[in-house]
Amino acid sequence: LTGHRLDGTSGTIYQEWLPQWGVTKAVPLNDHSMFMAGYYGIYHATRVPPPQKSNLNDRLDNLLTVSYTHGFGSHLVVQPYYRFMAISYTQWLAPRTDLLHTAGGIVGWFFTPNISARLNLSYDVKESDNPVIADYRNFNGGMGLSLNYRF
């Protein structure tokens, strides 16, 4: 990211390198439903300019996800899911671990193989063991329309 620095100059204000790894297992239950579970790890190696500690935002994200997908006929798909994320800041000013729980669902309607609409809802609960960091609850919802063209 570039922008205006605290010293009044402009230039790079944040850099991040993100090595990632993970594994996912999909288990078909029948012709219309599937269960999926996965683990993902992401390390955020960060750098910010002085006067801040240069790697203040370095952290390790560990994510566990589970979802169930069910198709009703050839047009309607429903997918509830749950995600747990543990975020460990490795260079923070004091030891810090944040926990994020997300539960949600997606409903998709496929008008044709190339046109679909979806509705998604999710609820997040974030808690930190550092009292300076605010905990929160968050409810999100949205809609989308997709047009896919393959060539």
Side-chain angles (χ1 to χ4, degrees), residues 25-36 69:
K25 177 68 176 174
V27 179
L29 301 174
N30 58 43
D31 289 343
H32 302 287
S33 61
M34 176 175 45
F35 174 79
M36 288 182 69
T69 305

Side-chain angles (χ1 to χ4, degrees), residues 110 112-116 118 145-151:
F110 295 84
T112 72
N114 298 339
I115 301 172
S116 64
R118 68 195 164 284
L145 185 62
S146 296
L147 173 62
N148 297 314
Y149 177 74
R150 296 178 191 195
F151 54 94

Side-chain angles (χ1 to χ4, degrees), residues 22-26 35-40 63-67 82 84:
V23 62
T24 301
K25 177 68 176 174
F35 174 79
M36 288 182 69
Y39 163 79
Y40 307 94
L63 292 89
L64 297 172
T65 63
V66 293
S67 66
Y82 172 76
F84 172 73

Side-chain angles (χ1 to χ4, degrees), residues 102-123:
T102 303
I106 300 168
V107 176
W109 182 264
F110 295 84
F111 299 101
T112 72
N114 298 339
I115 301 172
S116 64
R118 68 195 164 284
L119 171 67
N120 57 40
L121 299 170
S122 67
Y123 182 70

Side-chain angles (χ1 to χ4, degrees), residues 54-125:
S54 69
N55 59 350
L56 178 68
N57 293 308
D58 283 10
R59 63 193 181 276
L60 174 63
D61 299 344
N62 287 291
L63 292 89
L64 297 172
T65 63
V66 293
S67 66
Y68 172 75
T69 305
H70 190 88
F72 296 92
S74 61
H75 296 286
L76 180 65
V77 174
V78 175
Q79 183 183 54
Y81 65 89
Y82 172 76
R83 179 179 72 180
F84 172 73
M85 184 173 177
I87 307 157
S88 300
Y89 285 80
T90 59
Q91 302 296 323
W92 192 253
L93 303 174
R96 175 181 166 193
T97 300
D98 297 349
L99 302 177
L100 177 63
H101 301 271
T102 303
I106 300 168
V107 176
W109 182 264
F110 295 84
F111 299 101
T112 72
N114 298 339
I115 301 172
S116 64
R118 68 195 164 284
L119 171 67
N120 57 40
L121 299 170
S122 67
Y123 182 70
D124 299 315
V125 176

